[in-house]
Amino acid sequence: MQTHRYDVIIVGAGGAGMRAAIESSGRARTAVLTKLYPTRSHTGAAQGGMCAALANVEDDNWEWHTFDTVKGGDYLVDQDAAEIMCREAIDAVYDLERMGLPFNRTPEGRIDQRRFGGHTRNHGEAAVRRACYAADRTGHMILQTLYQNCVKQGVEFFNEFYVLDIMLTDDPENPGEQICTGAVAYELATGEIHVFHAKAVIFATGGAGKVFKTTSNAHTLTGDGMGVVFRKGLPLEDMEFYQFHPTGLAGLGILLTEGARGEGAILRNESGERFMERYAPTIKDLAPRDIVARSMVLEVLEGRGGGPHKDYVYLDCTHLGAEVLETKLPDITEFARTYLGVDPVTEPVPVFPTAHYAMGGIPTTVNGEVLRDTDHVVRGLYAAGECACVSVHGSNRLGTNSLLDINVFGKRSGIAAAEYSKTVDFQPDAELPADTVISMVENLRNATGGERVADLRIALQATMDANSAVYRTEETLKQALTDVQLLKERYSNVSVQDKGQRFNTDLLEGIELGFLLELAEVMVVSALNRKESRGGHAREDYPSRDDTNYMRHTMAYKEGSELISDIRLGWKPVVQTRYQPMERKY
Ligand SMILES: Cc1cc2nc3c(=O)[nH]c(=O)nc-3n(C[C@H](O)[C@H](O)[C@H](O)COP(=O)(O)OP(=O)(O)OC[C@H]3O[C@@H](n4cnc5c(N)ncnc54)[C@H](O)[C@@H]3O)c2cc1C
């Protein structure tokens, strides 16, 4: 076992982690621990754009952006946080421009902007051009730009280090409370365990899309950070709200950016009808994702889907012309050709919703401080990016608001953690800080049970796709819960084939599955208890939004320390500053 000591450690080297590192490393001794090589993080897969009311191509302002974010999130958004995000968006884009990000440009040389779902002019009058972009590789450019700037600044990276636990001890200044003193990691190359003592730890571990089978998410998005925090008895917020992106390649889930509709592409059913005109008469195909995904599923359920099984609809880009497709949407054009053998230049592309984004996560303040309940923070522990819940996305994130979130709240948490680290001393060693991780790793390595990781993962993803996707009911959610709990029992009998020390990815997949099972249970339990439809959570048995009973965030806590445990639910009020909940029409 090796030990290290830093003022701040950041877990995760996606957009959120590296944006935090750029701030923190200039102020305090900082290390970034990441299970992937930094430029392989999922931020690099983001396609469409990052929004900010720059008003470069038409009239716009950050107040309209705030309103759209609140309405887009079906009014479950904390409005103070949304205001901060939309106001600071403008600097966030210029920060990236100064760091060297090659944005698409207008003929006058300004950063170009395009339309995206739910972003409107003057409180819903019409779609507005607010998304800054670099072709359909915006996330790739953000990730590369941030990485280069981290390297320039001498940020220390520990690549292929899996953080599997954090260290919490009694807070000397606040009796009865805990303080975070570091994290414990498993080094993939050697199988060694490393203890990182730190004054502050920032989690930026990304999403958990691998709970589902049909997903736009990378294989690595297994919700580890949320899982680690949850196992410590800390809450997860709003986990019932999972976003299904409307345009996944049918049957595969690979993403076609909403930027395609931003450039003018149209959704059609089997008869060629532009069906979004019926569901969202004003902004049609550019309605927020929850509304478009529900509409697509309804078209299929009512028999208007296309293909041999009538189980998808079409994204029609044919009128955009080869030049727009090749220059502004080159990657997705290629994806459709490669994976479905369909050429978007001449044919409509079969699409269906794909699991995409976790609106919920580790609850934080606007400076990234992690909450241990509705009103108290855990000193020294921070979270930012998709693993966190600020909450700026409420029950449904608007497209392009996540690349924005990771930049704004990545930066804020990096500053906050570094400044905090200057005010405290290192705490004495916790007793046997690595014990939990050593037993987690060794128990799995030495296990001889008959269950296989892959079998359990397939079964988990199948039940989540079938029972906890765009539409759910009491009955389907109960089925999902029974299945997940059974899988958790089977998981205690799982074994891995590779018993070695070096590059044992088999072992890590087994550990990741444990986090996925844990999170799936939280998602389903939270969903069962929200008897209304709002944003990404559409209940067939409770089709309306119920502000009287459910205008509040869900907080889920793990009771007991074993894998098989109870989940206790609590609530947190929604912060409403300017906008009263209204009926959501587009
Ligand atoms: C295909 C696709 C397209 C998208 N397009 C857009 C878009 O156009 N606009 C938009 O706003 N949003 C988009 N999104 C969403 C957005 O890209 C993500 O929400 C955002 O990039 C997440 O950034 P992050 O830094 O939080 O996490 P990630 O970029 O996922 O990074 C997570 C990091 O955590 C590390 N990590 C994870 N677990 C551990 C562990 N146990 N120990 C150590 N390290 C760990 C990983 O190594 C990685 O470095 C898209 C998402 C997808 C999947």
Side-chain angles (χ1 to χ4, degrees), residues 257-311:
T257 176
E258 191 173 285
R261 278 172 287 139
E263 296 290 350
I266 288 169
L267 288 163
R268 299 190 189 280
N269 60 22
E270 177 61 6
S271 64
E273 183 204 5
R274 183 180 194 181
F275 59 86
M276 281 312 299
E277 283 178 335
R278 277 187 275 120
Y279 299 96
T282 308
I283 57 173
K284 305 182 181 79
D285 302 273
L286 286 173
R289 290 176 180 171
D290 55 338
I291 293 176
V292 180
R294 291 183 197 186
S295 309
M296 290 167 69
V297 174
L298 280 181
E299 288 300 295
V300 164
L301 290 177
E302 290 170 6
R304 293 186 290 276
H309 307 293
K310 292 181 162 299
D311 57 355

Side-chain angles (χ1 to χ4, degrees), residues 72-90:
D74 221 346
Y75 294 91
L76 202 78
V77 170
D78 284 336
Q79 296 182 15
D80 54 343
E83 271 181 44
I84 288 174
M85 181 176 79
C86 298
R87 208 173 42 220
E88 295 182 7
I90 295 161

Side-chain angles (χ1 to χ4, degrees), residues 11-17 33-36 41-43 45-49 116 161-163 204-207 216-217 221 224 255 356-357 384-387 397 399-404 406:
V11 185
L33 277 52
T34 169
K35 78 175 184 180
L36 302 173
S41 304
H42 191 71
T43 296
Q47 303 171 350
F116 243 83
F161 276 58
Y162 280 60
V163 169
T205 47
S216 67
N217 281 200
L221 291 173
D224 310 1
L255 192 77
H356 187 59
Y357 183 85
E386 190 168 337
C387 71
R397 168 176 74 88
T400 68
N401 263 354
S402 173
L403 290 179
L404 177 59
I406 63 179

